[in-house]
Amino acid sequence: MATRHIISIGDFDRDGIDQLLDHAEQIDNRKYDAGALGGRILAVLFFEPSTRTRMSFESAMARLGGTSLSVGSVDACSMAKGETLADTIRVVSGYADAIVIRHPKEGAARLAAEFSTVPVINAGDGAGQHPSQTLLDLYTIRQSMPIDGIDVALIGDLRYGRTAHSLASALSLYNARLHTISPKGLELPSNLVMDLREKGMEITEHDDIREIIGLVDVLYVTRIQRERFPDSASYFNVATSYRITPELLADAKKHLIVLHPLPRVDEIDPRVDDSPHARYFEQSKNGVPVRMAMLMRVLQ
Ligand code: CP
């Protein structure tokens, strides 16, 4: 059987996503074998900061009876001595049964999969993709409403925001309509927009979230990805160009949910946290059952 890597949300068709989310729901309802991955080892290679993705993969592995191994940081492993990613992966795949990798370079997870003898899961590759985030985003939407045919607003840094790229692609499988709002220069990449439109997705760009706040079912907010900007000045030019507030949400549909992959900086007013629309902390918690389902998919 071919090694079951998860590099892009495009590795799933709609049935594959639905099956995985159904499995995550069973896990959420405590219907799982806590020893299912006993004796299995997950290598956690994170070459960029993370709280949610890293800890929820480690929590998922522990809840299934498995163990995680980590190199700590790039400075603490032999890549600091000049070892290539390819050699690192060749070596690590001899120590573990699966590898979860986050790397600042787009395409790094795909390269890792080429050199790995065990399944590789992409936990974020530069401005590329973040498929496990998308699966938990869809899971969170599905807890509130059927995904089919919904209107989703993506607001923020849609150029560098990998969660937005993966989510937009996945939503095209559910006939969702996309509304994008981003500071100038941080729009969704044109090749992605073209690709999704060719698949029949309706995508509309807007200048201001207020134009459509009363129309959308999901408001997906993203942080400006400061770490991907060439300099501080270009970051500060756009840093405070949007902010979700209770006053804005006063005009929203009653059932609208606000999602954010987190971490947030200033783009969601903390007063929104107590609003019935806020779902971003449940969303991050959903990372555990969804990643448990992912680990079982690649390791069983
Ligand atoms: N959403 C997300 O990827 O968060 P972390 O960077 O904390 O993993």
Side-chain angles (χ1 to χ4, degrees):
M1 195 175 77
T3 309
R4 295 181 141 196
H5 306 295
I6 301 177
I7 305 302
S8 151
I9 198 67
D11 294 336
F12 292 86
D13 58 16
R14 170 154 175 179
D15 281 350
I17 293 178
D18 289 339
Q19 278 165 22
L20 192 135
L21 301 187
D22 289 345
H23 188 195
E25 196 174 312
Q26 280 176 15
I27 292 170
D28 228 355
N29 292 327
R30 309 219 175 270
K31 291 189 193 129
Y32 67 92
D33 171 6
L37 298 184
R40 315 300 292 278
I41 298 173
L42 177 70
V44 177
L45 298 184
F46 273 52
F47 302 117
E48 272 193 338
S50 168
T51 299
R52 279 145 289 274
T53 312
R54 179 177 179 152
M55 291 190 74
S56 59
F57 264 117
E58 290 182 358
S59 169
M61 197 63 187
R63 285 183 192 279
L64 291 166
T67 310
S68 303
L69 291 181
S70 155
V71 289
S73 69
V74 74
D75 295 334
C77 77
S78 287
M79 285 176 75
K81 299 180 219 163
E83 186 166 45
T84 62
L85 179 63
D87 281 0
T88 302
I89 295 295
R90 279 189 181 109
V91 170
V92 172
S93 59
Y95 301 157
D97 300 297
I99 296 172
V100 56
I101 181 168
R102 171 171 287 187
H103 196 282
K105 285 217 174 94
E106 200 170 327
R110 196 163 296 287
L111 182 121
E114 277 172 32
F115 289 93
S116 177
T117 55
V118 298
V120 172
I121 299 177
N122 181 6
D125 61 325
Q129 284 262 326
H130 195 345
S132 66
Q133 178 70 46
T134 295
L135 292 166
L136 74 90
D137 295 342
L138 295 174
Y139 184 76
T140 311
I141 295 172
R142 213 175 77 149
Q143 287 179 320
S144 294
M145 66 192 86
I147 307 172
D148 270 293
I150 55 172
D151 283 275
V152 178
L154 292 182
I155 182 165
D157 179 353
L158 308 184
R159 175 179 177 188
Y160 297 119
R162 54 196 173 202
T163 64
H165 303 163
S166 302
L167 181 61
S169 299
L171 288 170
S172 72
L173 302 174
Y174 292 87
N175 302 314
R177 286 173 293 279
L178 212 56
H179 304 268
T180 63
I181 308 100
S182 46
K184 205 165 170 44
L186 298 181
E187 296 86 0
L188 212 55
S190 55
N191 57 342
L192 177 60
V193 172
M194 219 156 48
D195 180 46
L196 295 177
R197 283 193 174 134
E198 271 169 22
K199 289 179 177 150
M201 193 175 206
E202 232 179 83
I203 305 178
T204 317
E205 262 189 72
H206 304 270
D207 292 329
D208 193 320
I209 181 62
R210 284 172 294 195
E211 290 170 22
I212 48 154
I213 191 62
L215 163 78
V216 296
D217 304 296
V218 176
L219 175 56
Y220 193 91
V221 189
T222 67
R223 173 179 69 90
I224 303 278
Q225 306 282 300
R226 181 177 188 169
E227 63 276 27
R228 314 223 184 277
F229 277 63
D231 53 66
S232 307
S234 44
Y235 167 74
F236 284 113
N237 278 342
V238 291
T240 53
S241 52
Y242 58 96
R243 185 169 166 89
I244 308 305
T245 61
E247 291 73 26
L248 171 77
L249 296 178
D251 294 328
K253 284 180 178 173
K254 197 163 175 234
H255 69 256
L256 169 116
I257 59 170
V258 179
L259 300 181
H260 190 309
L262 304 178
R264 71 172 150 182
V265 186
D266 290 320
E267 59 278 1
I268 300 183
D269 186 323
R271 291 178 300 147
V272 174
D273 299 356
D274 296 327
S275 136
H277 300 292
R279 289 287 189 288
Y280 30 91
F281 291 115
E282 279 104 320
Q283 183 187 0
S284 67
K285 191 171 168 208
N286 287 337
V288 177
V290 169
R291 290 178 171 123
M292 286 168 78
M294 292 178 74
L295 289 170
M296 288 175 81
R297 183 180 192 268
V298 301
L299 282 169
Q300 283 193 318

